[in-house]
Structure formats: C-alpha cells, structure tokens
Amino acid sequence: MQPISIMNVDPAIPERLARLRDLAYNLRWTWDHETFDLFRRLGGDLFETSGYNPVEMLGRMQQEQLNAAAEDDGFVALVERTARRLDEYMAGEVTWFNRVKNRAPGLCIAYFSFEFGIIECLKIYSGGLGALAGDHLKSASAIGIPLIGVGLIYQQGFFQQYLNASGWQQESYPVHDFYRLPIQLVRDDDGNEARVSVEFPGRDVFARVWLAQVGRIPLYLLDTNIPVNSPADQDITDSLYGGDDELRIKQELLLGVGGVRALHALGYEPTVCHMNEGHSAFSVIERIRLLMEKGLSTSEAVETVRAGSIFTTHTPVPAGIDRFDPKLVEKYMGNYQSRLGLSEREFLGLGRIDESDTKSPFSMAVLAIKLAANKNGVSRLHGVVARSMWHELWPDVPESDVPITSVTNGVHYPTWISRDLAHLYAHYIGPHWADDPTNPHLWEKVKHIPPDEIWRTHARRRERLAAFSRQRLEIQLKRRGSGPAELGHAREVLNSRALTIGIARRFATYKRSTLILSDLDRLRAILTNPERPAQIIFAGKAHPKDQPGKEFIQKIVRVARMPEFRDHIVFLEDYDVRIAHYLVQGCDVWLNTPRRPREACGTSGMKAAANGVLNLSVLDGWWDEAFNPGIGWAIGGGEHYTDEQHKYQDQVESEAIYELLEKDVVPLFYDRGRDGLPRRWIEMMKEAMRQLGPVFNASRMVYEYAERFYLPASERYRGLVSGNLDGARELAAWVEKLNQNWKRIKIERIFSIENEDSYQVGRVLEIRAALRLGELTPKDVDVELYHGNVDPKGAIAGADTITMTHMETDERGQSLYSGLLPLKASGRYGYTVRILPSAAKMPNRLDLGLVTWADVPEH
C-alpha cells in the first residue's frame, strides 16, 4: 500500500545537544578520535549496530536517552568542546593553502570520481579507486585547498558479498535509505530541492543533489531516483558498476555533464577540473559548451578547457578502460556534438587514437587524455606503463617523452592508522604529527619509540584482528546454516600470537591472490609448524561477472576447510572499509602478488606500512619505488616474463614466496630475545615507518597535485578567460597558425664547431642548426638538442634535452640556432635536433602532435 503523503521525521535532539547535528553531518568524525568517542559514549552498542553511523544512531535512540544525556553536564561540556574544535578546524586559519593562496587567486578545483570511499555506511565505493578518492578529499581538507568533490550516490551501492555452502560468491543489493545517512539534501533559497537536468535522447533526466561534508571539503552527489524521472531513468543511479554499457554511458553522462551543471547551479566556477579516471570525461564536453555560449569558437573553447583539466589514470591495461560503441555514443552525445559544431567523425575522433578509424570504439580515457593539459599515472612504474600504453597518441615522439607523468598515490594517515599507534606517535613523534605527515624530521623520531611499547601496541591490534575475524566467521557460518560443532570451531580459529599474513584486495585474476596456495604441502609445513605457526586472513570481492575471480575465492574457501588448514586460513566475507581497518592495523605481513606491471599502485600496502606491518610484495606499483632492504621483502627482482600463459612466472614467484617465508620472514618473527621481543623485526617495523611515513601519505600526494598541477593550471585557465576572453582567442589563433604552417618547417643543416673523431669526457661542444621556419617565427618554436648515450640498437637512450639559442635569421629566411653539449660520460654518445611549439605559450606543447626531427643521415 502506497502512502498518500511522505514526510521526514528527525530525532528530537534537546537544545543543549543541538551541536550533535553539526558533528554528525561532518564526516570529520571518521578520522577524529575525540568526535568518534563522543558518539560511542552517547550510543554505546547502538553506535556499532548502526554501522558507526551517528545519524542513524540518533534516529534510533530513545528520547529518554537523549534527554538524560542533555542533563549530564559533563557530556554537554564534551559536546560543546568538540563542536568548538570542529569550528576552529573549519575556519582553517593555519592551513598550508592559507600560506600560499596569494599564488592562486580564484582557485577552485572540481574533483570528479565515479566512487568515493569515506565511511562504510556510505556505500559509494568498490575498492582502491574509491578509497583513494576519499583519502584525496580528506587530505585536501587537511591542507585547506578549495576543492569540491563530485560524484554519484547509488541506491544500492556496490554489492554485498556472501558465500554459499560451496564457497561460491553470491551478491545481494540492499537498498539504502539516504535519509539515515550522514548526508543532506541540497536546497535552494526557497527550500526546494536543488536539481539539475541533463539532455538524454528524447527527454531530460533530472537529478537532485546530496551533500556529504568531508571536513572542509563539500562532496556533491547526484541522484536520479526521483518521481519526475521515468522508472528506467530513476534506476540510472541504482548501482555502482552494474548493468550494461548503455547504463554505464548514462551514468557517465550524468556524472560529467550533470556534475558540471550542478557546480554552476550551486554557484561554483571551477578553474580546474580533475578527472579521477575516465568515467567523468564528458565533463570536458560540457565545459567546452559553456565557454562557447560565452562567445568562444570550438577551437578556442577546447584550448581553454584543456588548460584547466587534469586526468589521472589508474588503469595499467587497455581492457580496464571504458570504451563505447560509436552508435551508443552518437545516441547519447549527438546533441552535444552538434552544439560543439563538430561532425560525427570529428566528435568520435576525440575518443579515438586514430581519428580516421571509423570502426574504433570511443574511449573515455582517450577523450580525457586529449583534452587535459596534465595527465598522470599513480606510481612511478605506472607512469612508465601509461606512456607505453598510450604511445600511439604521440607517434612522433620517443616513448619516454609521452606527456604522461606520475603522482604516486598516498593514504590518509589519520584514517588508517590505529588509535593505539596514533597515541604512540603523538607521544614520541609529537602531538601534531598528523598535521604535517610529510615532514621527514618528525619521522626520524620513530627511532625513539621503545621496542617493548611498539610491540605491545602491535600485539594488541593482532589480538583484536583475531577476535574480530572469529566473530565474522561465526556470523558467516550462521548465515549458511552451519551446525553447533562448526560454529564452536569458528570461535577457536587463529592464534593471536602467531605470525599473521594479510591478503585483501579485489579478486581480479592478475592480482593472483591464490598464488600462495600453489604448493599446499609446502604451505602446510609453514603454517602448521608447532614452534613457529603462521596464519593467513583473506578478504576481497570478485566482480559479479568475473567467473575466474570467483573461482579464486572458492579455492581459498576449499583450502580453508581442509582439516590441516582450518585453524590457519580464514576468508572474511564482504570486504569493506571496516574490515580493511582491522586487517591493515593487525597483520604482521601484507602479501601482494600482482603480475608485474599490472598493479597501478596498491595503496593497501601503504595503509599496512603506516601501521608497522611489513610488506612482502612483487616489485610493482608503489612497492617498486618504495622497497629497500630492511623495510620489507621483494618477491623477485622486477623481472619481465614472456610466457603467455604465465605458468613459468607463477611457478617462479610462488616458490620465491615460500623461500622468503621459510628462510627470512618466519625465522625473523620468532627470533626472540630473553625479553620475548623480536628486536630485529621491530627494527624493520620502525625503519619502514621512518622511510615510508613522510612519502606515501595522501598529504604529500595532494601537495604534489597542488604544486605541479592545480596552481599552474588555474593560473593558465584564469589567464585565458579573464577580460573579454582575449587570451583564449589568442591561444587558439596561435595553435591554428602552427597547424597550418608546421609542415613547412625544415631543418637544413646541423653541424659542430669542433669536428674530431673522438672527444674526452668534460668537453663541451657547440652544436649549431640552420632552420627554415616559413611563416613561423623563433618566438613560436623551441629548438632542442636531444642527446644521450647510444644503445646497442643505435638509438639514443635516456635522453636529455637542451634548449638551443636563436642567434640570427638572415635575409634569406634561414634561422641559426646554437647549443652547448656537455660530454659527461664515456662511451657511444649521440645527439639530434628537434623543433617543438614554444613552451612559453603552451606548457603542454606535445599535445598538439607537432614535432619536427632532423633527418637521420643514411649510412
């Protein structure tokens, strides 16, 4: 029976406790221990049973409980004190950005992501991408930069996982009540829901906007589940990563176009848009359209939007990129194509590597790459992989020069570090260590933490992990209808003092989460040694359509049920933020076994390292740049394998895991002194904290984005749109001039002032180049010496560049350039000359695809 009227009923919070609302609706409580404790003190067990959701907890509390709390002067004082701390935090008077804001007048960053992992009750995340996005917002809040998050809110979110009796993953999709979550509907001045509309084929789709306040950062989430839409359109924001390609393009159209419109409707004028993966790439189309409405031509708007756009890719394989059938793109984007004044071929070409290949699908990543001035991978190795992956977009430049750089991910330490360890850090590193986790001098003080204190702290976390795992296992077994004997055994699994290995991640096959199960006899000997026992806790989800991933999970469950492994291997269902906290804080070893170089970053290992957990990992993602002997272990040496079926690689690396466990990891853990402390293990823990702490945190990551991308991009964008948009018109006219005249450029002659058969290290050669620039001038181009050692194939490897100086242009139109080439190393050395558009006029000059190289002489 449907109601004739619907109303919202809020808890009647006494006036003396009114600030509880402010505290509950600012997600800072997710990482502020004092606020978290306040809600735990108020609600007791109800806080836990509500999923650590203070809004739901307040709604479920009896009025008598709230009234009693209002009569407790001590509790009222605690609420007021905590609220004052929130007010001071929100004022943000001592943030990093306040110290540098004069460098970025008008800076406004819109951060788009398909998922955000902030708290477990707000299920708009599936894994690492979402956790990274959540940590990005939290750290942006900490340093005070003016950033706004933009995403979608899903009625069902990502699926909940449970296993059937055979260990096969099943999925359920519970519907979430947004009104019980710590989010609020955005309303206009008249109290009406703030809404935006997006043109879909034959109709408009409307979305309302929810606000999740993440510290100082507003996160706006779009929701189509409103009566004004058709039932099918209401379902657009039903689930994360569900449905077919048509649903996906609808969601991405809503996120990109609808997200930009929501920001403008709310009064924001972003100077920078940061696309976290390609799902939001349609945002650039909407930004171009808006600038064209102000009077810019298509080319002028394109160059302006490109200047203020940033794209971060998290995908190291082409199969992980969203690609749509051209007919589907034409169906949903044809209206936008005509508004941009582009033909179908021109518009679809924005999402194709080869614009002339009319059968090629439309790639969201290609669209983002082509229309973003700054592009980056998420670890140093991933940057190398991304440059190789997208080299076809820049066929005339060496792979190493492809303009995709890297910013290695980081994690938000206050969120992920255990409360026990945070207290230890506060005592020995300093009470404000979390305010500046990038400071290496602070982390040097880790050396002063007494070994017994750090070990007792970590041992408590391991005990809590073991107890939590038993509770979860018992719940899992009850749900499957297990009998008393099996339930009784679940209460006794795991040894809270044994070496505990954590393996938790998405169950994609390339992550090889079952690699440690390759030789069960050898694994049995390691885990069941009576003097030196070990145990493994697994967690993670496979995509609902990933059958091989589900088979991995089933294999783990099957092995865990074997009598010899039942006490030593546990699989925790429905991996989420809460389980992740227990694992990264309580394990001793974090095992990661991706097939190199398929792991873009791997931030779970960073979270573990921040808690003193030692990483045992393939040299992939972040660990490839982080690993040093003495802070963890490397599986292999970064080898490249050529066997297509990967059987040889899997065999070699699984044996390496067993070798490391047998000869290094297990003996070191159980090497105890008279005081019972594994002192060499503790030294590794402390050294890992000292080396990794100041680098692999999200504050460093956001600082890097701000300094390298946000501030320069905002300055460029503002320069182009200021005044009467003259800057945009001048830039587009210059680009057009280059495109029309570039083929007339010619390098006529290159010669050295010295002409000898060999040279000694330390010599400096003057190299000159005679050019013809046609209709272009020396101010339009940069001429560079491209030089380096020559590899066995005769190519310049590890090249450096030197900008050559324009000396003169004679009456015949020949321009002479000169450059000084230092010979720094012996061996075969080579150089050439190239011409590029001027970096002074366009920092992202390689994006134009214009480069002229000197002809290689025939030998």
Side-chain angles (χ1 to χ4, degrees), residues 242-273:
D244 56 13
D245 282 353
E246 187 153 10
L247 176 60
R248 179 67 64 85
I249 200 171
K250 290 177 183 179
Q251 290 181 330
E252 298 189 358
L253 177 55
L254 177 67
L255 174 62
V257 175
V260 172
R261 292 184 181 179
L263 292 176
H264 282 269
L266 296 172
Y268 296 102
E269 293 288 340
T271 57
V272 176
C273 282

mmCIF file of all heavy atoms in Angstrom, residues 242-273:
data_model
loop_
_atom_site.group_PDB
_atom_site.id
_atom_site.type_symbol
_atom_site.label_atom_id
_atom_site.label_comp_id
_atom_site.label_asym_id
_atom_site.label_seq_id
_atom_site.Cartn_x
_atom_site.Cartn_y
_atom_site.Cartn_z
ATOM 1 N N GLY A 242 27.216 -1.718 -12.136
ATOM 2 C CA GLY A 242 26.222 -2.715 -12.509
ATOM 3 C C GLY A 242 25.712 -2.430 -13.907
ATOM 4 O O GLY A 242 25.995 -1.393 -14.506
ATOM 5 N N GLY A 243 24.929 -3.358 -14.471
ATOM 6 C CA GLY A 243 24.292 -3.109 -15.753
ATOM 7 C C GLY A 243 25.228 -3.257 -16.933
ATOM 8 O O GLY A 243 26.357 -3.726 -16.827
ATOM 9 N N ASP A 244 24.733 -2.806 -18.099
ATOM 10 C CA ASP A 244 25.463 -2.957 -19.347
ATOM 11 C C ASP A 244 26.102 -1.641 -19.769
ATOM 12 O O ASP A 244 26.102 -0.658 -19.015
ATOM 13 C CB ASP A 244 24.525 -3.468 -20.437
ATOM 14 C CG ASP A 244 23.295 -2.559 -20.624
ATOM 15 O OD1 ASP A 244 23.298 -1.421 -20.089
ATOM 16 O OD2 ASP A 244 22.344 -2.982 -21.310
ATOM 17 N N ASP A 245 26.648 -1.624 -20.994
ATOM 18 C CA ASP A 245 27.321 -0.419 -21.487
ATOM 19 C C ASP A 245 26.371 0.767 -21.570
ATOM 20 O O ASP A 245 26.780 1.916 -21.358
ATOM 21 C CB ASP A 245 27.929 -0.678 -22.863
ATOM 22 C CG ASP A 245 29.231 -1.456 -22.792
ATOM 23 O OD1 ASP A 245 29.727 -1.670 -21.659
ATOM 24 O OD2 ASP A 245 29.754 -1.853 -23.848
ATOM 25 N N GLU A 246 25.104 0.497 -21.892
ATOM 26 C CA GLU A 246 24.172 1.620 -22.026
ATOM 27 C C GLU A 246 23.923 2.281 -20.672
ATOM 28 O O GLU A 246 23.864 3.512 -20.577
ATOM 29 C CB GLU A 246 22.857 1.172 -22.650
ATOM 30 C CG GLU A 246 21.929 2.339 -22.955
ATOM 31 C CD GLU A 246 20.963 2.057 -24.093
ATOM 32 O OE1 GLU A 246 20.871 0.897 -24.537
ATOM 33 O OE2 GLU A 246 20.311 3.016 -24.548
ATOM 34 N N LEU A 247 23.786 1.485 -19.627
ATOM 35 C CA LEU A 247 23.639 2.081 -18.298
ATOM 36 C C LEU A 247 24.902 2.840 -17.916
ATOM 37 O O LEU A 247 24.832 3.939 -17.347
ATOM 38 C CB LEU A 247 23.341 1.006 -17.258
ATOM 39 C CG LEU A 247 23.257 1.511 -15.807
ATOM 40 C CD1 LEU A 247 22.159 2.562 -15.654
ATOM 41 C CD2 LEU A 247 23.043 0.360 -14.829
ATOM 42 N N ARG A 248 26.051 2.278 -18.262
ATOM 43 C CA ARG A 248 27.316 2.933 -17.900
ATOM 44 C C ARG A 248 27.442 4.296 -18.586
ATOM 45 O O ARG A 248 27.836 5.270 -17.955
ATOM 46 C CB ARG A 248 28.488 2.033 -18.280
ATOM 47 C CG ARG A 248 29.863 2.637 -17.970
ATOM 48 C CD ARG A 248 30.129 2.793 -16.485
ATOM 49 N NE ARG A 248 30.167 1.512 -15.828
ATOM 50 C CZ ARG A 248 31.260 0.732 -15.754
ATOM 51 N NH1 ARG A 248 32.391 1.128 -16.303
ATOM 52 N NH2 ARG A 248 31.217 -0.422 -15.128
ATOM 53 N N ILE A 249 27.090 4.389 -19.863
ATOM 54 C CA ILE A 249 27.224 5.678 -20.537
ATOM 55 C C ILE A 249 26.218 6.682 -19.982
ATOM 56 O O ILE A 249 26.504 7.884 -19.882
ATOM 57 C CB ILE A 249 27.098 5.538 -22.071
ATOM 58 C CG1 ILE A 249 27.724 6.768 -22.755
ATOM 59 C CG2 ILE A 249 25.655 5.356 -22.507
ATOM 60 C CD1 ILE A 249 27.841 6.634 -24.266
ATOM 61 N N LYS A 250 25.049 6.199 -19.550
ATOM 62 C CA LYS A 250 24.098 7.095 -18.892
ATOM 63 C C LYS A 250 24.692 7.648 -17.604
ATOM 64 O O LYS A 250 24.591 8.853 -17.320
ATOM 65 C CB LYS A 250 22.804 6.353 -18.568
ATOM 66 C CG LYS A 250 21.945 5.974 -19.750
ATOM 67 C CD LYS A 250 20.730 5.183 -19.266
ATOM 68 C CE LYS A 250 19.859 4.698 -20.401
ATOM 69 N NZ LYS A 250 18.697 3.911 -19.893
ATOM 70 N N GLN A 251 25.300 6.780 -16.809
ATOM 71 C CA GLN A 251 25.894 7.231 -15.553
ATOM 72 C C GLN A 251 27.024 8.215 -15.801
ATOM 73 O O GLN A 251 27.167 9.220 -15.096
ATOM 74 C CB GLN A 251 26.404 6.025 -14.763
ATOM 75 C CG GLN A 251 25.305 5.130 -14.210
ATOM 76 C CD GLN A 251 25.854 3.960 -13.410
ATOM 77 O OE1 GLN A 251 26.959 3.468 -13.670
ATOM 78 N NE2 GLN A 251 25.101 3.510 -12.427
ATOM 79 N N GLU A 252 27.840 7.942 -16.815
ATOM 80 C CA GLU A 252 28.985 8.806 -17.073
ATOM 81 C C GLU A 252 28.557 10.136 -17.685
ATOM 82 O O GLU A 252 29.189 11.167 -17.441
ATOM 83 C CB GLU A 252 29.998 8.051 -17.933
ATOM 84 C CG GLU A 252 30.504 6.812 -17.202
ATOM 85 C CD GLU A 252 31.673 6.116 -17.877
ATOM 86 O OE1 GLU A 252 32.106 6.566 -18.970
ATOM 87 O OE2 GLU A 252 32.166 5.124 -17.313
ATOM 88 N N LEU A 253 27.489 10.124 -18.443
ATOM 89 C CA LEU A 253 26.916 11.372 -18.935
ATOM 90 C C LEU A 253 26.381 12.196 -17.770
ATOM 91 O O LEU A 253 26.595 13.415 -17.691
ATOM 92 C CB LEU A 253 25.810 11.066 -19.936
ATOM 93 C CG LEU A 253 25.019 12.231 -20.528
ATOM 94 C CD1 LEU A 253 25.941 13.247 -21.174
ATOM 95 C CD2 LEU A 253 23.994 11.711 -21.536
ATOM 96 N N LEU A 254 25.712 11.535 -16.834
ATOM 97 C CA LEU A 254 25.187 12.227 -15.661
ATOM 98 C C LEU A 254 26.317 12.789 -14.809
ATOM 99 O O LEU A 254 26.267 13.951 -14.378
ATOM 100 C CB LEU A 254 24.330 11.270 -14.830
ATOM 101 C CG LEU A 254 23.763 11.836 -13.531
ATOM 102 C CD1 LEU A 254 22.731 12.928 -13.814
ATOM 103 C CD2 LEU A 254 23.145 10.723 -12.684
ATOM 104 N N LEU A 255 27.354 11.977 -14.582
ATOM 105 C CA LEU A 255 28.466 12.439 -13.748
ATOM 106 C C LEU A 255 29.198 13.614 -14.390
ATOM 107 O O LEU A 255 29.451 14.628 -13.728
ATOM 108 C CB LEU A 255 29.441 11.287 -13.516
ATOM 109 C CG LEU A 255 30.740 11.642 -12.780
ATOM 110 C CD1 LEU A 255 30.459 12.164 -11.376
ATOM 111 C CD2 LEU A 255 31.679 10.435 -12.720
ATOM 112 N N GLY A 256 29.549 13.474 -15.676
ATOM 113 C CA GLY A 256 30.336 14.521 -16.315
ATOM 114 C C GLY A 256 29.549 15.780 -16.600
ATOM 115 O O GLY A 256 29.875 16.858 -16.087
ATOM 116 N N VAL A 257 28.485 15.655 -17.382
ATOM 117 C CA VAL A 257 27.695 16.829 -17.748
ATOM 118 C C VAL A 257 26.883 17.318 -16.554
ATOM 119 O O VAL A 257 26.872 18.508 -16.221
ATOM 120 C CB VAL A 257 26.779 16.512 -18.947
ATOM 121 C CG1 VAL A 257 25.860 17.692 -19.247
ATOM 122 C CG2 VAL A 257 27.616 16.162 -20.177
ATOM 123 N N GLY A 258 26.176 16.387 -15.896
ATOM 124 C CA GLY A 258 25.369 16.780 -14.744
ATOM 125 C C GLY A 258 26.201 17.329 -13.610
ATOM 126 O O GLY A 258 25.782 18.265 -12.915
ATOM 127 N N GLY A 259 27.404 16.767 -13.419
ATOM 128 C CA GLY A 259 28.267 17.266 -12.349
ATOM 129 C C GLY A 259 28.695 18.700 -12.564
ATOM 130 O O GLY A 259 28.683 19.519 -11.636
ATOM 131 N N VAL A 260 29.082 19.031 -13.797
ATOM 132 C CA VAL A 260 29.463 20.419 -14.102
ATOM 133 C C VAL A 260 28.270 21.347 -13.906
ATOM 134 O O VAL A 260 28.396 22.443 -13.331
ATOM 135 C CB VAL A 260 30.018 20.521 -15.537
ATOM 136 C CG1 VAL A 260 30.219 21.982 -15.937
ATOM 137 C CG2 VAL A 260 31.342 19.771 -15.657
ATOM 138 N N ARG A 261 27.099 20.924 -14.354
ATOM 139 C CA ARG A 261 25.912 21.773 -14.208
ATOM 140 C C ARG A 261 25.534 21.965 -12.742
ATOM 141 O O ARG A 261 25.086 23.047 -12.341
ATOM 142 C CB ARG A 261 24.743 21.160 -14.993
ATOM 143 C CG ARG A 261 24.979 21.209 -16.489
ATOM 144 C CD ARG A 261 23.809 20.694 -17.295
ATOM 145 N NE ARG A 261 24.121 20.750 -18.726
ATOM 146 C CZ ARG A 261 23.313 20.361 -19.692
ATOM 147 N NH1 ARG A 261 22.107 19.874 -19.382
ATOM 148 N NH2 ARG A 261 23.674 20.445 -20.954
ATOM 149 N N ALA A 262 25.695 20.923 -11.947
ATOM 150 C CA ALA A 262 25.395 21.054 -10.516
ATOM 151 C C ALA A 262 26.308 22.085 -9.870
ATOM 152 O O ALA A 262 25.856 22.921 -9.065
ATOM 153 C CB ALA A 262 25.535 19.702 -9.831
ATOM 154 N N LEU A 263 27.578 22.058 -10.211
ATOM 155 C CA LEU A 263 28.506 23.027 -9.635
ATOM 156 C C LEU A 263 28.109 24.448 -10.001
ATOM 157 O O LEU A 263 28.111 25.348 -9.147
ATOM 158 C CB LEU A 263 29.933 22.731 -10.099
ATOM 159 C CG LEU A 263 30.567 21.438 -9.573
ATOM 160 C CD1 LEU A 263 31.944 21.235 -10.192
ATOM 161 C CD2 LEU A 263 30.679 21.468 -8.050
ATOM 162 N N HIS A 264 27.780 24.660 -11.251
ATOM 163 C CA HIS A 264 27.383 26.008 -11.677
ATOM 164 C C HIS A 264 26.069 26.429 -11.014
ATOM 165 O O HIS A 264 25.914 27.589 -10.611
ATOM 166 C CB HIS A 264 27.268 26.071 -13.199
ATOM 167 C CG HIS A 264 28.592 26.166 -13.884
ATOM 168 N ND1 HIS A 264 29.196 27.363 -14.197
ATOM 169 C CD2 HIS A 264 29.454 25.202 -14.301
ATOM 170 C CE1 HIS A 264 30.353 27.147 -14.786
ATOM 171 N NE2 HIS A 264 30.543 25.835 -14.856
ATOM 172 N N ALA A 265 25.145 25.492 -10.857
ATOM 173 C CA ALA A 265 23.879 25.817 -10.200
ATOM 174 C C ALA A 265 24.081 26.191 -8.740
ATOM 175 O O ALA A 265 23.321 26.996 -8.180
ATOM 176 C CB ALA A 265 22.923 24.625 -10.300
ATOM 177 N N LEU A 266 25.126 25.635 -8.138
ATOM 178 C CA LEU A 266 25.411 25.917 -6.727
ATOM 179 C C LEU A 266 26.341 27.119 -6.556
ATOM 180 O O LEU A 266 26.743 27.431 -5.432
ATOM 181 C CB LEU A 266 26.022 24.677 -6.068
ATOM 182 C CG LEU A 266 25.087 23.461 -6.009
ATOM 183 C CD1 LEU A 266 25.840 22.228 -5.527
ATOM 184 C CD2 LEU A 266 23.896 23.744 -5.102
ATOM 185 N N GLY A 267 26.696 27.755 -7.644
ATOM 186 C CA GLY A 267 27.480 28.987 -7.556
ATOM 187 C C GLY A 267 28.969 28.814 -7.680
ATOM 188 O O GLY A 267 29.730 29.764 -7.445
ATOM 189 N N TYR A 268 29.454 27.636 -8.056
ATOM 190 C CA TYR A 268 30.893 27.406 -8.215
ATOM 191 C C TYR A 268 31.305 27.648 -9.659
ATOM 192 O O TYR A 268 30.583 27.303 -10.595
ATOM 193 C CB TYR A 268 31.260 25.972 -7.835
ATOM 194 C CG TYR A 268 31.024 25.623 -6.381
ATOM 195 C CD1 TYR A 268 29.910 24.884 -6.000
ATOM 196 C CD2 TYR A 268 31.918 26.027 -5.396
ATOM 197 C CE1 TYR A 268 29.691 24.542 -4.674
ATOM 198 C CE2 TYR A 268 31.705 25.690 -4.059
ATOM 199 C CZ TYR A 268 30.598 24.951 -3.709
ATOM 200 O OH TYR A 268 30.384 24.617 -2.393
ATOM 201 N N GLU A 269 32.483 28.218 -9.836
ATOM 202 C CA GLU A 269 33.075 28.406 -11.160
ATOM 203 C C GLU A 269 34.455 27.766 -11.140
ATOM 204 O O GLU A 269 35.470 28.423 -10.887
ATOM 205 C CB GLU A 269 33.186 29.899 -11.497
ATOM 206 C CG GLU A 269 31.866 30.604 -11.678
ATOM 207 C CD GLU A 269 31.167 30.208 -12.976
ATOM 208 O OE1 GLU A 269 31.854 29.703 -13.886
ATOM 209 O OE2 GLU A 269 29.941 30.404 -13.074
ATOM 210 N N PRO A 270 34.543 26.461 -11.378
ATOM 211 C CA PRO A 270 35.839 25.785 -11.268
ATOM 212 C C PRO A 270 36.856 26.336 -12.255
ATOM 213 O O PRO A 270 36.550 26.546 -13.434
ATOM 214 C CB PRO A 270 35.510 24.323 -11.587
ATOM 215 C CG PRO A 270 34.035 24.202 -11.389
ATOM 216 C CD PRO A 270 33.461 25.532 -11.737
ATOM 217 N N THR A 271 38.056 26.566 -11.759
ATOM 218 C CA THR A 271 39.159 26.917 -12.654
ATOM 219 C C THR A 271 39.921 25.676 -13.083
ATOM 220 O O THR A 271 40.626 25.695 -14.098
ATOM 221 C CB THR A 271 40.126 27.897 -11.972
ATOM 222 O OG1 THR A 271 40.608 27.312 -10.745
ATOM 223 C CG2 THR A 271 39.443 29.208 -11.651
ATOM 224 N N VAL A 272 39.796 24.605 -12.294
ATOM 225 C CA VAL A 272 40.469 23.342 -12.598
ATOM 226 C C VAL A 272 39.472 22.211 -12.398
ATOM 227 O O VAL A 272 38.757 22.180 -11.397
ATOM 228 C CB VAL A 272 41.693 23.118 -11.675
ATOM 229 C CG1 VAL A 272 42.311 21.752 -11.938
ATOM 230 C CG2 VAL A 272 42.720 24.222 -11.856
ATOM 231 N N CYS A 273 39.421 21.292 -13.347
ATOM 232 C CA CYS A 273 38.640 20.070 -13.183
ATOM 233 C C CYS A 273 39.585 18.882 -13.236
ATOM 234 O O CYS A 273 40.355 18.729 -14.189
ATOM 235 C CB CYS A 273 37.574 19.933 -14.267
ATOM 236 S SG CYS A 273 36.128 20.968 -13.971
#
